[in-house]
Amino acid sequence: MCNKQRSLLGVLGALLLALVAVFAAGPAQAAVPPDRDLNQVLTLPAAPASTLSAAAVSPTITPAVRTEHGRPGDDYTCPSGNLCLVVWDPTTVDYKVFFLYTCQLYALHYWQGWGNFYDAQTGGVTSYFYDQNMGELRRFTPEGSHNIDQNWDPVWYVRNC
């Protein structure tokens, strides 16, 4: 076999190994502790005392994430790997659930009143809630954050990692 053929085979072999490594690695997440349910089914809280607002605007988040709506008392699933945030939506008179999966700093818009959060992330990450000046309001890990009540009024930003 000539040097040119060996070089070509070497390059093809290295390329094949690189492709196998990329597809085999997949997204990096740590193992889930055995006592954690992978897809936690939760119940939305009771409706707030006042559900009407004169200038009702639906809460949003930037960058956008998957959301769903549910009535008070409905069940929803917080999938493994997600930080799930629940806030009242005065435009639909129900709760809006936000599923934060990608590690990112998120900006909250029109989040008012009480709701809750559930941290089903893996890998021992620490998440943060910040005020409008990026002052830390709360820090938590998945181990201690199961359906925690939260006043969203002072929260302007969330970092889920």
Side-chain angles (χ1 to χ4, degrees):
M1 188 180 277
C2 74
N3 285 340
K4 202 181 243 187
Q5 288 175 324
R6 272 190 246 154
S7 294
L8 181 59
L9 285 176
V11 170
L12 290 176
L15 181 60
L16 181 61
L17 284 174
L19 286 173
V20 168
V22 167
F23 288 111
Q29 286 199 351
V32 178
D35 63 336
R36 296 282 309 266
D37 186 353
L38 292 179
N39 294 300
Q40 184 66 44
V41 177
L42 305 161
T43 302
L44 292 171
S50 174
T51 60
L52 300 176
S53 173
V57 178
S58 183
T60 61
I61 195 167
T62 307
V65 298
R66 183 174 76 87
T67 64
E68 64 183 46
H69 282 265
R71 296 184 313 265
D74 282 356
D75 288 339
Y76 74 97
T77 300
C78 185
S80 176
N82 285 261
L83 172 59
C84 298
L85 309 178
V86 176
V87 62
W88 185 256
D89 186 342
T91 65
T92 55
V93 193
D94 63 7
Y95 283 101
K96 191 171 185 180
V97 182
F98 292 78
F99 301 92
L100 282 61
Y101 181 79
T102 303
C103 174
Q104 188 118 3
L105 177 65
Y106 294 91
L108 309 183
H109 311 283
Y110 307 108
W111 287 52
Q112 298 176 335
W114 285 85
N116 61 35
F117 66 93
Y118 185 92
D119 193 349
Q121 296 179 99
T122 60
V125 299
T126 300
S127 296
Y128 304 87
F129 292 167
Y130 298 106
D131 65 15
Q132 65 182 338
N133 299 313
M134 290 300 293
E136 185 179 306
L137 297 170
R138 178 177 239 160
R139 107 180 18 204
F140 54 92
T141 61
E143 292 73 30
S145 305
H146 306 297
N147 224 21
I148 305 295
D149 289 338
Q150 177 65 42
N151 178 6
W152 294 115
D153 290 344
V155 181
W156 287 52
Y157 303 95
V158 173
R159 178 173 296 281
N160 63 326
C161 56

